[in-house]
């Protein structure tokens, strides 16, 4: 039987599947991170758990790490629901938006501090430092455009911001190549966990309208592929 599903219908189905998968993965990641923090006792252990921003002050450094990670979790979990259209003009959207923005500001600032002390070399420092700056900037632009009621731009900046927020997920999904040691692989992780995410955000922005529908030129491309001989 021929498949009469239109490119737009297929795209909307893909959107729902991706949204559901992203939400599940975000919450599973957040739960695992909280478990790891509790099991490592980041507030009580005296030995350092990461690169030290303040040399020798282990508990203070562990606190900075804990604040950085814990403030990254609310935007990770709130992000998917801020894209549901029925909530866009509600009080929930406004309050969750403020929580999203404020926690990212705190997490990106502490993340930048941790990046400057990263022990894996200048390439790794630049990777995480750039991540922190871009995360802060895209979120700031999302806030600025929302307050100015430039909603189309707000949507675009929020997409960029949230795809960067998902770096906490992708950093755990990157496979470790067998031919590289951790010391060799880690600097690449600091870039690969967020640059591809940002590229995907840009592609999605260019493929969709303000309402999240496929642009006409992208629909035409998909229809042309489906109509090609042998498909």
């Amino acid at each position: 039987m021929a498949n009469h599903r239109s490119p737009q219908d297929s795209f909307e189905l893909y959107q729902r599947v991706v949204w559901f998968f992203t939400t599940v993965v975000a919450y599973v990641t957040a739960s695992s991170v909280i478990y790891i923090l509790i099991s490592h006792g980041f507030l009580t252990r005296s030995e350092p758990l990461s690169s030290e921003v303040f040399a020798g002050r282990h508990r203070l450094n562990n606190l900075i790490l804990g604040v950085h990670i814990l403030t990254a979790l609310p935007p990770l979990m709130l992000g998917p629901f801020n894209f549901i259209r029925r909530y866009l003009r509600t009080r929930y959207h406004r309050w969750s938006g403020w929580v999203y923005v404020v926690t990212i500001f705190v997490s990106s600032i502490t993340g930048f501090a941790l990046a400057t002390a990263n022990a894996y070399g200048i390439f790794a420092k630049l990777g995480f430092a750039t991540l922190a700056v871009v995360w802060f900037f895209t979120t700031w632009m999302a806030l600025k455009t929302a307050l100015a009621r430039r909603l189309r731009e707000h949507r675009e900046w929020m997409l960029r911001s949230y795809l960067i927020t998902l770096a906490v997920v992708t950093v755990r999904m990157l496979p470790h190549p067998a031919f590289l040691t951790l010391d060799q692989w880690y600097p690449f992780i600091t870039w690969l966990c967020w640059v591809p995410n940002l590229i995907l955000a840009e592609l999605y922005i260019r493929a969709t309208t303000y309402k999240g529908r496929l642009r006409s030129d992208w629909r035409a491309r998909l229809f042309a592929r489906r109509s090609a001989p042998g498909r």
Side-chain angles (χ1 to χ4, degrees), residues 138-156:
T138 54
T139 307
W140 165 253
M141 289 301 299
L143 173 62
K144 181 180 178 180
T145 51
L147 294 176
R149 307 298 295 171
R150 304 203 307 265
L151 300 183
R152 184 183 303 274
E153 294 174 67
H154 171 64
R155 168 187 175 267
E156 294 175 356

Side-chain angles (χ1 to χ4, degrees), residues 179-192:
F179 58 88
L180 293 177
T181 66
L182 177 60
D183 288 352
Q184 293 170 328
W185 174 234
Y186 187 89
F188 292 101
I189 291 175
T190 65
W191 294 91
L192 291 174

Side-chain angles (χ1 to χ4, degrees), residues 115 118 120-134 163-164 166-168 170-171 174 184-199:
N118 192 285
Y120 286 88
I122 187 64
F123 191 70
K125 288 181 180 181
L126 285 174
F128 275 150
T130 307
L131 164 60
V133 171
V134 174
L163 265 291
I164 295 173
L166 288 174
V168 69
T170 53
V171 75
L174 290 171
Q184 293 170 328
W185 174 234
Y186 187 89
F188 292 101
I189 291 175
T190 65
W191 294 91
L192 291 174
C193 69
W194 66 274
V195 172
N197 296 14
L198 190 57
I199 293 172

Side-chain angles (χ1 to χ4, degrees), residues 13-160:
L13 177 61
Y14 297 151
Q15 283 179 311
R16 295 189 187 100
V17 171
V18 170
W19 183 91
F20 179 78
F21 177 77
T22 302
T23 304
V24 171
V25 170
Y27 275 77
V28 169
T29 301
S31 301
S32 65
V33 168
I34 291 172
Y35 172 78
I36 291 170
L37 284 175
I38 293 173
S39 63
H40 279 72
F42 73 96
L43 287 176
T44 57
R45 292 180 63 169
S46 58
E47 62 269 25
L49 297 176
S50 69
S51 302
E52 296 198 306
V53 179
F54 300 99
R57 304 185 66 179
H58 304 327
R59 289 195 176 181
L60 177 59
N61 290 303
N62 292 346
L63 176 62
I64 293 172
L65 175 64
V67 169
H68 166 65
I69 295 175
L70 288 176
T71 52
L73 300 184
L76 177 66
M77 295 184 289
L78 289 173
F81 299 96
N82 283 332
F83 293 101
I84 298 177
R85 294 194 61 80
R86 73 182 69 173
Y87 296 139
L88 294 184
R89 298 184 183 276
T90 64
R91 183 176 299 179
Y92 163 81
H93 184 77
R94 290 191 294 273
W95 279 106
S96 66
W98 277 111
V99 173
Y100 179 93
V101 167
V102 171
T103 50
I104 284 180
F105 284 171
V106 174
S107 189
S108 60
I109 291 170
T110 52
F112 185 86
L114 290 165
T116 61
N118 192 285
Y120 286 88
I122 187 64
F123 191 70
K125 288 181 180 181
L126 285 174
F128 275 150
T130 307
L131 164 60
V133 171
V134 174
W135 196 24
F136 185 99
F137 176 74
T138 54
T139 307
W140 165 253
M141 289 301 299
L143 173 62
K144 181 180 178 180
T145 51
L147 294 176
R149 307 298 295 171
R150 304 203 307 265
L151 300 183
R152 184 183 303 274
E153 294 174 67
H154 171 64
R155 168 187 175 267
E156 294 175 356
W157 285 110
M158 271 296 298
L159 283 166
R160 295 181 183 108

